[in-house]
Structure formats: structure tokens, C-alpha cells
Amino acid sequence: MDYVIVGAGSAGCVLAARLSEDPGVQVTLLEAGPVDKSVLLHCPAGLALLARLGSANWGFQTVPQAGLGGRRGYQPRGKVLGGSSSVNAMIYMRGAPEDYDAWAAEGNAGWGWDEVLPVFRRGEDNLRGADAWHGTGGPLHVMDLCDPNPYAHAFVQAGVQAGHAHNPDFNGASQEGVGLYQVTHKAGERFSAAKAYLAPHRQRPNLHVITGAHATRVLLQGQRAVGVAYRHGGQERTLHAEREVVLSAGAFQSPQLLMLSGIGPGAHLREHGLPVALDLPGVGAHLHDHPDVVQVWDVPGARELFGLSPAGAWRTVGDIRRWRRERRGPLTTNFAEAGGFIRSEPGEPRPDLQLHFVVGKLVNHGRTAVPGHGFSCHVCVLRPRSRGSVRLASSNPLAAPLIDPAFLQEPDDLRRLVAGFKRMRELLSQPALTGRGARETSAGVRSDAEIQAFIRQHADTIYHPVGSCRMGSGAMDVVDSRLRVHGIERLRVVDASVMPSVVSGNTNAPTLMIAERAAAWMKEAA
């Protein structure tokens, strides 16, 4: 085998497709989860049931979070072909140009906005057409929602009433404002990385995809990666790589796998009885995520909104029939249909908050059914200062890692989230929504102290963990600007864990871009 890739999530699917374009190389992609067969993975609205069933999901938890009143946060990650792109809310978002320019300014050559924009454009097949910001003909289909919910439009109208600009394209000339999100859909179905990159090429004789394969360690000869050990069908197996091993297991499991292989903070590895192949202290450090809190609003009798009621159940029966027949209707929703990028204070140089407007009442990440009809809105801090870690719970490779995002560890993150809670309430309180009978369920939370307490009781992830194998040239960095692990030959990490800092927005599209860049560099190096 020439290349062994661990993890068939967004990055792994890109790498497998791009590297196997050369018929002279052999590529194996290992995925711990199953094939993406379930209709719930393909029907966009199926993500609601996926959340409640816990299927296709690692379902991790954090360690107790001091900033969240000692609660454990929930950390869902895709465990299926396509990874989290098969279970997420399908929003296509790149982040702000300043994010990438900051990466480059930190010494990561080739990662500035002018370098990454062409990669985004080449990877995209946007139904709106090509322009200076967007591309057509790429593997990833991007489009506007087929049948947006009337309340998504009402949210945008409310945002304008609150003084925000209407932004029809968050990936265009400006990110600021409110609008509907574009999504990774095609013909009324989810269009995951597995569909975009992997499915069209599964018949290539040089591409081998092994599902149900849980990687346990990287095989090393001295300071060189030579393969991967993995569990499959209850047996320990090995695969050797003649060219490179690539870890694309995500922000939690890529650092975990490095540490299980003896690459990481030496003292921590020795605590678990692991031999130290390379003392690389930055492995698992710098973990961070967008801290997020949700407001839930009741809209009695609003059958257009998803909700638990006899009328809602009857409507869903018809919606299922329509989706099966036409691939249209309410079940083409991604739930988080609209949103925006706003400033916590007028003096902020650029938006520091993101909103996700959800056309249903979202409680406990959608895992708890709530009676009645209504909507929800998230607000998250786009550039958090808090930094946490990923550590080993034990030397058992099947044990979940210890995940500590250190939510709200830095006071500035809480300050911005309090301001965001107020700005979100101001927007949702406009006539476009209250005129439809919307009532906030947390309306009694008014003072800063009450809002802070509410946030500590309810805040959690918006599913954007990054940074745990940070890219850079410093002593605490893990990979170089071409994503090669410092001090180990023929080993790369290619996923969101390499981001020096989280982008100002959702992380799926940037992860695909990162993998496109890595694949090109790997071809050059071959």
C-alpha cells in the first residue's frame, strides 16, 4: 500500500479521492463506522432523528467544565463514511478572509486568503453559478435550500428590522448581516463528503475502503511512520504504507492516535505506560471551539415549524410521502436555515458573533423531545480565547479520550456571549416574529448576572472543535505548514485539528479545503 488514511470523514474522503486519481498508487481508507446507507443520512431532516437515536455518532462527552458550572458538554462526531459531514447541519461556510491571513501571518506559508480562495472555488459546484467568490464544476454541490421555511424568511426580516443588513451570500464580498444559509445538498438530499468525493470513485481498483476499522496506533520504525494497526472484526490487523500515513480522525481522535503511538507530551504518555517515541508537547493542546447558547421561543399553533403535536405528526406523514416522491418539501430542511454574523458591540472591527436560526425547538442538542411548536436561535463567539486539551483516559485505544474545551475559561468569551444573548433577543423580539405570536421561554432572564447564570447552565458546543494538532513552527506546534508531523517522517495530520485558530464560521468547508491542499502537496512529494 502506498498511502494509508485513518478516518473517512470530510478530510479523509477528499484525500482518498484525490490520491487515487493516480492509477499507479494504492490507497487505503480506514473508517471505524459503517457505510452511509441509512435514509436518515440522506434525507436532510433525518439529522433530527440521528441526534435522538445517537446513531452514526461517537457521542463523546467533555470532562466537567468549570465554565459551565461543572457540567459535562456533549461532543457528537460522525462515525460513518463521510464523518461529521454525514450528520451535520450541512451549512456551507468558509469563514472570513482575515482568519486565513492570520494563519499565514503566524508563519504558515501558503495559507493566506489569496491562496485558499482558489481552492474553495475549485472544490465547489455552486448552483448559483461561478463568480469571483464561487466556482462550478467541483465535486461539492452547494445550493440554496429547496423549500425554506417561512419562519426563516421572517427571521431575516426581523434582523433587518433590528438594524442588520440583509446578506444574501455569507461567502461573498462581506460576511456581515443576516440571511439564509447555503447548504451542501443536491436534488433534495444531503451531499456529504462521502457523496461528493468518495462515492463517484469507489470502483477504482486502487482505492480500498475498509469500514468497521478502528485504528489503534501508527506503526513506527525509529522516527518514520510505516503503517497503521487497527481492529477489524474483533482482530488486530496491520497495514503498511510505502509513502505516507495520514491521520484524518478529527480534532479529538487524531491527537489521541498520535499519543497512543508514543508521539505527544512525554510525561503524559509515561503516566499511561506508553513508550515515548517523540516528546511532542503540543499534541492535544490548544483545543478550542465556538462556545454557544440557545434561546427557545414558543409559537403556539405554528404548524409551519417543526414540533411535537398531533397536528405536527400528521403533517410529517405527508412530508415523508412528498420527500420520497419528489425530494421536495419541509424534509429538505437543514433546520438551521438562516442566521447571521453580527457584532457584540458597535466598536467591534468585524463581526464576532454568529447566529443559527433553527425552525424547531432545540433542547439538549435535539436529543430531548419538547412538546409544542416554536423556533430556536443559537449565538456563538466566533473567535474564543479559551484553550483546552485532548488527553488520554488510558492506554486502551478503544477508550474515549479526555476532552476539555475549557469553555468560558477566559472572561472575554463570557462577556461576548452575554452581549450576544442580548443582541439575539433584540433581533428575535422584532415584529416580524413577535407578530406571529412568538414568546421567549427564557424571558425572565434579564440582568447580566441572570444571563451569565443561564449561559453557564445551558451553553455548549456548536460542533466546531479545532486546534489540537496545531499547524506552525513553534515549540508547541504539531505539524508544519504542509501538515507534516514535526520530527516524524512520512506522517501527516489532515483535518480540523491543524487549524491554528478556529475560522469565523462553520468548519466543514474549511476542512475540505485543507484536505484539498494536502492532497496536492502529497502528489508533489511523491
Side-chain angles (χ1 to χ4, degrees):
M1 200 58 54
D2 294 288
Y3 300 103
V4 177
I5 304 161
V6 176
S10 297
C13 288
V14 173
L15 290 166
R18 293 306 192 193
L19 294 174
S20 64
E21 289 172 346
D22 180 354
V25 303
Q26 296 290 320
V27 179
T28 294
L29 179 63
L30 301 177
E31 168 56 41
V35 175
D36 54 336
K37 287 183 177 179
S38 170
V39 68
L40 298 179
L41 300 172
H42 301 294
C43 176
L47 71 92
L49 282 177
L50 288 172
R52 292 180 189 173
L53 297 173
S55 56
N57 181 3
W58 288 95
F60 294 129
Q61 286 190 318
T62 70
V63 300
Q65 296 292 287
L68 304 184
R71 291 185 294 118
R72 291 180 182 269
Y74 180 52
Q75 294 283 337
R77 294 282 90 194
K79 186 180 181 181
V80 64
L81 287 185
S84 294
S85 77
S86 289
V87 299
N88 68 359
M90 298 158 274
I91 293 171
Y92 181 78
M93 186 64 57
R94 298 169 178 171
E98 295 92 334
D99 301 329
Y100 301 97
D101 289 339
W103 293 5
E106 292 174 10
N108 296 300
W111 290 97
W113 178 246
D114 289 343
E115 287 95 354
V116 304
L117 177 58
V119 184
F120 278 120
R121 292 183 70 247
R122 283 197 300 271
E124 186 182 5
D125 187 19
N126 199 304
L127 205 59
R128 291 186 185 178
D131 58 22
W133 305 97
H134 295 287
T136 56
L140 186 70
H141 201 270
V142 179
M143 61 181 289
D144 299 320
L145 285 160
C146 289
D147 295 295
N149 191 288
Y151 275 83
H153 290 294
F155 168 85
V156 176
Q157 185 182 356
V160 173
Q161 290 172 346
H164 304 289
H166 174 219
N167 189 341
D169 185 4
F170 295 122
N171 296 300
S174 172
Q175 194 181 47
E176 189 165 10
V178 293
L180 302 185
Y181 287 122
Q182 282 206 296
V183 292
T184 50
H185 285 186
K186 186 175 183 180
E189 294 188 7
R190 174 193 291 275
F191 205 65
S192 67
K195 279 191 174 181
Y197 286 90
L198 202 58
H201 310 300
R202 286 293 299 274
Q203 301 307 312
R204 287 176 179 167
N206 64 329
L207 174 58
H208 314 277
V209 180
I210 306 175
T211 55
H214 188 128
T216 57
R217 61 191 171 93
V218 177
L219 303 176
L220 300 174
Q221 285 183 358
Q223 304 303 102
R224 173 180 292 186
V226 296
V228 173
Y230 65 101
R231 286 242 181 126
H232 187 256
Q235 295 183 335
E236 189 81 11
R237 303 173 185 268
T238 59
L239 265 175
H240 288 267
E242 296 297 325
R243 297 192 183 184
E244 293 193 46
V245 172
V246 187
L247 305 186
S248 297
F252 303 141
Q253 288 157 294
S254 283
Q256 180 189 26
L257 194 51
L258 285 175
M259 289 185 282
L260 289 168
S261 309
I263 304 167
H268 177 63
L269 303 185
R270 285 187 283 269
E271 286 175 6
H272 292 288
L274 292 165
V276 179
L278 178 67
D279 190 346
L280 196 58
V283 172
H286 310 295
L287 176 70
H288 59 291
D289 193 350
H290 291 136
D292 176 88
V293 70
V294 183
Q295 286 183 17
V296 178
W297 288 58
D298 283 321
V299 190
R303 291 176 57 188
E304 307 98 317
L305 293 165
F306 289 87
L308 191 62
S309 72
W314 181 247
R315 189 196 95 167
T316 300
V317 172
D319 293 342
I320 292 171
R321 290 173 178 161
R322 185 180 179 193
W323 183 80
R324 292 181 66 182
R325 184 175 62 249
E326 306 173 29
R327 291 301 195 262
R328 295 296 300 264
L331 296 193
T332 60
T333 185
N334 71 324
F335 291 100
E337 295 189 8
F341 292 84
I342 64 175
R343 306 178 195 225
S344 60
E345 302 289 345
E348 285 295 323
R350 59 188 174 111
D352 58 333
L353 302 168
Q354 183 179 5
L355 303 176
H356 292 85
F357 179 80
V358 179
V359 294
K361 296 202 290 187
L362 186 74
V363 176
N364 189 23
H365 303 271
R367 296 181 296 171
T368 300
V370 182
H373 294 258
F375 60 77
S376 311
C377 196
H378 296 252
V379 61
C380 71
V381 177
L382 285 173
R383 289 175 292 282
R385 297 183 181 181
S386 301
R387 294 293 185 270
S389 65
V390 177
R391 290 289 179 257
L392 297 176
S394 76
S395 59
N396 178 3
L398 303 184
L402 298 177
I403 299 167
D404 181 10
F407 282 132
L408 307 182
Q409 175 178 284
E410 292 290 333
D412 185 72
D413 295 348
L414 180 59
R415 178 185 68 80
R416 291 178 190 273
L417 204 52
V418 168
F421 188 92
K422 295 176 181 178
R423 298 299 306 278
M424 176 167 61
R425 170 182 279 159
E426 176 186 36
L427 188 159
L428 299 176
S429 299
Q430 298 302 315
L433 290 169
T434 58
R436 293 170 174 254
R439 301 193 303 262
E440 183 189 351
T441 62
S442 52
V445 178
R446 308 305 302 184
S447 70
D448 282 5
E450 290 169 338
I451 294 172
Q452 287 183 13
F454 182 90
I455 288 170
R456 294 194 189 279
Q457 290 168 1
H458 298 283
D460 207 341
T461 178
I462 192 67
Y463 321 118
H464 302 155
V466 306
S468 51
C469 294
R470 192 176 69 177
M471 172 172 54
S473 57
M476 289 296 291
D477 295 319
V478 177
V479 298
D480 66 14
S481 61
R482 293 209 166 188
L483 312 186
R484 297 167 294 203
V485 174
H486 292 303
I488 300 290
E489 297 177 24
R490 304 196 326 193
L491 179 62
R492 297 189 202 232
V493 178
V494 182
D495 55 33
S497 71
V498 305
M499 293 186 191
S501 52
V502 68
V503 296
S504 301
N506 310 73
T507 51
N508 185 245
T511 301
L512 296 170
M513 178 277 293
I514 288 168
E516 288 274 20
R517 303 226 73 193
W521 288 327
M522 291 172 70
K523 288 182 174 182
E524 288 177 13

